[in-house]
């Protein structure tokens, strides 16, 4: 049966026909040939295309002509909570000059849709996908902000929390009232028989703060599936109504002027008894359908998958060349491995991790970051570490002790997250500055240590910026903002240590960035300088060849980037001692881009926590 949507736009028709067969195939496979539901989806897609503003359609057309627009070295991102940064959406609009001053042209606004006041998981428990949280503003404010951002060449990324809704969402409320139609949008069970089957194979996301994957609802005597917090009810994507309605929700959001959609917790969206309910093949079918739907309705929009998993689970979300899924994914293993090198002063594992990433096709674009609003999980390559006798349990214990300042001579000030007393496992929270030692050095008034901490902070940002893809700074890190312990006294937050690194942006400290010798001034100008250099040389584009080199020193990481015109050798010293390295290169002269000094490559002295970006003259 052919789809009966009456299309009178040539542009739309071309895009639609390009993907029609595959879209229909995947949909019918997932939903047992339910053509009525498929037709509904097709009507609604066309409807959202028709409702799309001409300005946004023009952006789509421009990006369709240059589909590599996000793969160059021009994007620099920042993630921020709207209220922590500028109170509300119009506040963010007023602060766009600051964003530009940072060199940032991509902002990820953390979840801003309506949620219950307390039980909201930092915005990830949405109670209304069509409404902005009243304290942040209205949909019109988001549209105005997006317009202004687009005028300034800034792209906006927004979360799409598709795995679950809040228990206060209209569907959940009606399900609680006993309406079967709405119960069918979630996973409801009369007794613990099926849940107990699931529990045999499904791991726990929040073992301490929200143990188990089901919640008992005493008001209706039923269990509901809750992979995350008990107030976040998992949606049942076996029901085509759920997929159709959620696609409507995301297209509605996209039409407000969103450039990048971060698909939150995407590996979890399909459930199957007897599996771990992560990364199932149906998840990939849905992501592939989302990619095609965007290419048809709003081809300028990018999909960023939140896949915080081991590398072999992450890369499949890029899909294939013929059937791409996400445009971008988080470089999560590199992020965690970076911190491992900070604690161990050993770059061996980081070099190995970079080799894996560098061997992927250049189409695989990663979002690079040092930390985000979530915890840092120690998902390292323990098989590799084991060859040196480093075991997973003891190493995680070491990392956690180091980063919480318990290890002798540790400079870091982090907090544990979801420490599981049974397994001894735990993850980590903290701002970049606090993890780098700025907090401790300030507290102890130790200028020597402070100097080192600032160098480490800047070196890590330089390392993030050397990687191919899109570097994203967490708002506040650009001025060395410290942990914020006030969450301990806030109801709804005190149990969740991720709030330690989600503090309010400190505008009074930001003012100090013009004082050259202040911490804010040093960190700000340090990061800004390297971010500007990154934009100036094409060798930083994702097209460049990238490989690691041996530096002869276990604490110094060496990376080469090269394209037709330029060659750059980057060196990062992960130790608090000065190091000398020899690079197996002809004895040529290089210019160090950050300090502008000339360097011979046969013998290079690299200071403690120093970074060199050496460009071949
Ligand atoms: C994602 C978010 C995280 C949230 C979880 C549940 O992982 O990044 O903050 O807790 O999804 O929605």
């Amino acid at each position: 049966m052919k789809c009966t949507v009456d299309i009178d736009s040539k542009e739309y028709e071309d895009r639609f026909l390009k993907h029609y067969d595959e879209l229909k195939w995947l949909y019918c496979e997932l939903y047992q040939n339910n053509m009525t539901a498929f037709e509904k989806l097709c009507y609604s897609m066309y409807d959202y295309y028709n409702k799309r503003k001409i300005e946004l359609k023009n952006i789509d057309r421009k990006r369709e002509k240059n589909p590599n627009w996000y793969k160059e070295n021009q994007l620099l991102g920042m993630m921020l909570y709207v209220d922590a940064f500028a109170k509300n959406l119009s506040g963010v609009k007023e602060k766009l000059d600051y964003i530009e001053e940072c060199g940032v042209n991509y902002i990820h606004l953390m979840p801003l849709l309506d949620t219950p006041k307390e039980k909201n998981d930092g915005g990830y428990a949405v109670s209304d996908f069509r409404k902005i949280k009243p304290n942040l503003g209205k949909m019109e404010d988001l549209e105005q902000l997006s317009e202004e951002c687009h005028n300034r060449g800034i792209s906006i990324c927004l979360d799409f929390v598709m795995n679950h809704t809040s228990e206060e969402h209209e569907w959940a409320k009606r399900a609680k009232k006993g309406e079967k139609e709405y119960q069918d949008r979630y996973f409801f069970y009369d007794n613990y028989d099926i849940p107990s089957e699931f529990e045999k194979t499904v791991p726990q996301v929040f073992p301490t703060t929200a143990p188990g994957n089901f919640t008992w609802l005493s008001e209706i005597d039923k269990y509901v599936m809750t992979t995350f917090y008990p107030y976040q009810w998992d949606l049942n994507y076996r029901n085509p109504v759920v997929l159709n309605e959620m696609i409507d929700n995301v297209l509605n959001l996209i039409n407000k002027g969103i450039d990048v959609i971060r698909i939150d917790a995407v590996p979890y969206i399909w459930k199957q008894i007897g599996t771990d309910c992560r990364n199932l093949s149906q998840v990939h079918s849905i992501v592939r359908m989302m990619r095609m739907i965007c290419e048809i309705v709003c081809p300028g929009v990018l999909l960023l998958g939140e896949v915080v998993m081991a590398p072999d689970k992450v890369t499949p979300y890029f899909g294939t060349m013929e059937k791409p899924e996400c445009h971008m994914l988080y470089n999560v293993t590199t992020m965690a491995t970076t911190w491992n090198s900070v604690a161990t002063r050993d770059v061996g594992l980081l070099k190995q991790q970079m080799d894996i990433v560098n061997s992927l096709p250049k189409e695989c674009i990663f979002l690079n970051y040092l930390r985000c609003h979530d915890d840092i999980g120690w998902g390292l390559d323990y098989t590799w570490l084991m060859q040196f006798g480093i075991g997973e349990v003891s190493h995680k214990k070491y990392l956690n002790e180091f980063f919480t300042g318990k290890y002798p001579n540790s400079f870091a000030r982090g907090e544990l997250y979801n420490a599981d007393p049974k397994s001894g496992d735990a993850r980590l929270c903290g701002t970049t500055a606090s993890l780098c030692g700025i907090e401790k050095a300030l507290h102890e008034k130790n200028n020597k240590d402070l100097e080192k901490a600032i160098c480490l902070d800047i070196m890590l940002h330089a390392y993030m910026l050397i990687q191919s893809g899109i570097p994203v700074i967490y708002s506040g890190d650009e001025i060395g903002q410290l942990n914020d312990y006030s969450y301990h006294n806030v109801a709804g937050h005190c149990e969740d240590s991720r709030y330690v690194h989600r503090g309010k942006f400190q505008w009074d400290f930001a003012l100090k960035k013009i004082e050259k010798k202040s911490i804010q001034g040093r960190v700000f100008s340090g990061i800004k300088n390297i971010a500007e250099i990154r934009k100036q040389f094409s060798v930083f584009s994702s097209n460049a060849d990238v490989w690691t080199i041996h530096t002869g020193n276990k604490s110094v990481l060496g990376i080469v980037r090269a394209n037709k015109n330029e060659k750059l050798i980057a060196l990062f010293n992960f130790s608090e001692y000065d190091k000398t390295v020899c690079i197996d290169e002809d004895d040529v002269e290089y210019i160090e881009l950050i300090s502008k000094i000339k360097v011979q490559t046969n013998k290079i002295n690299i200071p403690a926590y120093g970074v060199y970006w050496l460009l071949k003259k």
Side-chain angles (χ1 to χ4, degrees):
M1 194 170 128
K2 199 97 192 116
C3 178
T4 54
V5 180
D6 196 6
I7 298 169
D8 60 6
S9 151
K10 171 86 175 78
E11 164 184 78
Y12 187 87
E13 191 175 24
D14 286 349
R15 293 177 190 158
F16 186 64
L17 291 179
K18 181 175 165 206
H19 292 302
Y20 179 75
D21 286 342
E22 193 193 343
L23 188 61
K24 183 175 147 196
W25 170 268
L26 286 178
Y27 196 96
C28 287
E29 190 184 44
L30 218 51
Y31 298 119
Q32 297 83 40
N33 296 320
N34 186 336
M35 273 308 278
T36 318
F38 180 64
E39 290 250 311
K40 227 170 165 192
L41 171 74
C42 293
Y43 275 108
S44 154
M45 283 162 57
Y46 190 44
D47 190 34
Y48 281 102
Y49 167 79
N50 281 325
K51 286 198 265 202
R52 196 158 168 77
K53 280 189 251 165
I54 185 71
E55 294 79 10
L56 298 177
K57 285 185 176 170
N58 284 337
I59 296 179
D60 290 336
R61 289 168 192 144
K62 218 167 113 196
R63 290 180 180 166
E64 255 185 325
K65 280 196 198 121
N66 176 23
N68 291 336
W69 67 274
Y70 60 99
K71 297 181 182 168
E72 300 299 328
N73 47 328
Q74 296 306 310
L75 287 182
L76 176 64
M78 184 171 274
M79 34 190 151
L80 53 92
Y81 268 103
V82 170
D83 49 352
F85 181 67
K87 234 172 139 186
N88 52 33
L89 284 166
S90 41
V92 175
K93 202 166 121 207
E94 279 160 31
K95 297 289 185 194
L96 287 178
D97 285 347
Y98 174 76
I99 300 268
E100 284 190 314
E101 198 190 334
C102 297
V104 165
N105 48 13
Y106 162 111
I107 46 174
H108 174 185
L109 305 176
M110 306 303 297
L112 39 71
L113 296 178
D114 207 12
T115 60
K117 213 159 177 274
E118 274 184 19
K119 294 177 174 179
N120 61 39
D121 186 20
Y124 289 92
V126 178
S127 53
D128 190 341
F129 289 93
R130 302 289 172 127
K131 188 174 162 210
I132 303 278
K133 256 189 214 173
N135 62 313
L136 302 182
K138 298 207 166 75
M139 271 300 174
E140 296 83 70
D141 298 312
L142 179 62
E143 285 183 87
Q144 280 171 22
L145 173 63
S146 146
E147 253 174 62
E148 183 56 26
C149 281
H150 287 156
N151 289 340
R152 295 176 185 235
I154 301 172
S155 300
I156 298 191
C157 168
L158 228 61
D159 279 88
F160 179 50
V161 187
M162 73 179 294
N163 178 68
H164 43 259
T165 74
S166 149
E167 62 179 351
E168 298 288 312
H169 187 278
E170 182 63 22
W171 297 353
K173 285 196 207 151
R174 297 181 75 161
K176 248 184 283 181
K177 280 194 193 135
E179 289 187 49
K180 170 98 175 48
E181 187 194 332
Y182 291 92
Q183 290 183 353
D184 287 347
R185 297 184 186 196
Y186 300 95
F187 296 89
F188 271 80
Y189 301 102
D190 293 335
N191 55 45
Y192 200 58
D193 293 350
I194 296 177
S196 70
E197 281 304 306
F198 272 111
E199 292 292 12
K200 284 182 189 158
T201 53
V202 183
Q204 307 194 20
V205 181
F206 299 140
T208 320
T209 46
N213 289 290
F214 292 85
T215 299
W216 172 247
L217 302 174
S218 53
E219 47 291 40
I220 50 167
D221 278 353
K222 282 186 199 296
Y223 283 97
V224 66
M225 185 184 265
T226 52
T227 301
F228 293 87
Y229 280 108
Y231 53 81
Q232 289 166 308
W233 294 9
D234 288 65
L235 285 168
N236 184 357
Y237 281 90
R238 282 172 195 272
N239 180 346
V241 175
V242 170
L243 181 72
N244 283 6
E245 298 253 344
M246 291 302 278
I247 293 291
D248 281 1
N249 283 334
V250 74
L251 290 178
N252 178 65
L253 211 55
I254 286 171
N255 271 357
K256 305 296 172 206
I258 306 310
D259 303 275
V260 181
I261 288 292
R262 174 187 184 271
I263 323 176
D264 180 61
V266 61
Y268 302 84
I269 60 175
W270 196 272
K271 319 294 195 284
Q272 174 75 52
I273 279 192
T275 73
D276 62 358
C277 294
R278 273 110 168 112
N279 310 302
L280 300 180
S281 67
Q282 294 86 344
V283 175
H284 288 279
S285 298
I286 292 179
V287 179
R288 173 70 191 137
M289 287 198 275
M290 288 175 75
R291 173 73 179 248
M292 288 189 281
I293 292 168
C294 285
E295 285 186 10
I296 296 168
V297 181
C298 46
V301 170
L302 305 178
L303 296 180
L304 162 66
E306 194 229 353
V307 185
V308 180
M309 301 262 157
D312 62 323
K313 300 286 184 302
V314 174
T315 40
Y317 284 88
F318 283 120
T320 61
M321 287 286 273
E322 297 75 32
K323 297 181 177 183
E325 295 177 23
C326 292
H327 297 82
M328 305 184 295
L329 295 168
Y330 285 88
N331 204 346
V332 56
T333 306
T334 305
M335 183 276 290
T337 311
T338 306
W339 289 107
N340 175 68
S341 290
V342 170
T344 59
R345 282 81 157 173
D346 187 325
V347 298
L349 184 61
L350 194 53
K351 181 176 181 307
Q352 141 89 4
Q353 166 60 18
M354 284 214 84
D355 290 342
I356 295 174
V357 173
N358 293 336
S359 66
L360 293 171
K362 287 175 188 162
E363 285 70 32
C364 297
I365 299 296
F366 281 104
L367 205 133
N368 300 306
Y369 62 123
L370 291 174
R371 60 99 170 184
C372 64
H373 68 295
D374 282 332
D375 48 291
I376 300 171
W378 299 117
L380 308 176
D381 186 345
Y382 292 102
T383 317
W384 192 88
L385 285 173
M386 204 51 212
Q387 57 179 323
F388 306 101
I390 299 172
E392 178 168 350
V393 174
S394 59
H395 193 57
K396 279 186 181 167
K397 189 166 176 273
Y398 162 67
L399 292 171
N400 283 327
E401 285 188 359
F402 181 86
F403 283 110
T404 50
K406 296 204 180 74
Y407 199 80
N409 293 329
S410 156
F411 48 73
R413 286 289 176 268
E415 285 194 349
L416 292 187
Y417 179 68
N418 263 282
D420 185 350
K422 268 195 240 143
S423 65
D425 206 6
R427 283 120 72 178
L428 181 85
C429 297
T431 68
T432 302
S434 288
L435 295 181
C436 284
I438 295 182
E439 181 175 330
K440 177 171 186 265
L442 272 177
H443 183 75
E444 293 173 357
K445 300 193 173 60
N446 184 330
N447 283 336
K448 233 170 104 199
D449 284 357
L450 182 60
E451 184 58 30
K452 285 189 179 165
I454 293 173
C455 289
L456 173 58
D457 190 315
I458 297 172
M459 186 274 282
L460 291 182
H461 280 93
Y463 172 62
M464 168 177 85
L465 284 149
I466 200 78
Q467 297 166 50
S468 292
I470 304 178
V472 184
I473 300 169
Y474 193 94
S475 163
D477 278 2
E478 78 281 12
I479 52 162
Q481 205 163 294
L482 307 179
N483 287 344
D484 176 358
Y485 299 100
S486 63
Y487 82 94
H488 285 292
N489 306 317
V490 178
H493 290 185
C494 52
E495 305 277 292
D496 192 332
S497 51
R498 290 176 297 179
Y499 285 98
V500 82
H501 55 226
R502 296 176 180 173
K504 271 208 173 89
F505 186 79
Q506 291 166 345
W507 288 101
D508 45 345
F509 281 129
L511 289 176
K512 290 198 190 162
K513 72 183 183 328
I514 46 169
E515 294 167 27
K516 280 204 176 101
K517 287 192 176 150
S518 69
I519 297 170
Q520 293 75 18
R522 300 245 341 250
V523 175
F524 187 85
S525 60
I527 298 174
K528 190 177 156 93
N529 183 25
I530 44 181
E532 277 170 3
I533 296 171
R534 186 180 197 269
K535 287 187 188 174
Q536 282 162 23
F537 296 90
S538 64
V539 76
F540 290 100
S541 131
S542 299
N543 284 325
D545 292 323
V546 189
W547 66 94
T548 60
I549 49 170
H550 285 283
T551 63
N553 191 297
K554 74 178 179 75
S555 300
V556 182
L557 182 66
I559 301 164
V560 181
R561 300 190 64 91
N563 65 6
K564 274 191 272 105
N565 317 315
E566 289 161 349
K567 181 171 175 189
L568 179 110
I569 300 181
L571 297 172
F572 302 89
N573 182 355
F574 275 75
S575 125
E576 61 269 62
Y577 300 106
D578 297 358
K579 300 282 173 187
T580 302
V581 296
C582 296
I583 294 166
D584 195 14
E585 281 268 319
D586 309 330
D587 189 11
V588 272
E589 204 173 75
Y590 277 73
I591 176 97
E592 203 288 303
L593 293 177
I594 303 167
S595 59
K596 312 270 184 303
I597 53 167
K598 286 181 190 156
V599 175
Q600 297 291 125
T601 51
N602 58 348
K603 199 167 178 219
I604 303 173
N605 296 311
I606 175 158
Y609 294 130
V611 48
Y612 282 168
W613 282 2
L614 307 169
L615 189 77
K616 195 170 190 172
K617 295 204 343 166

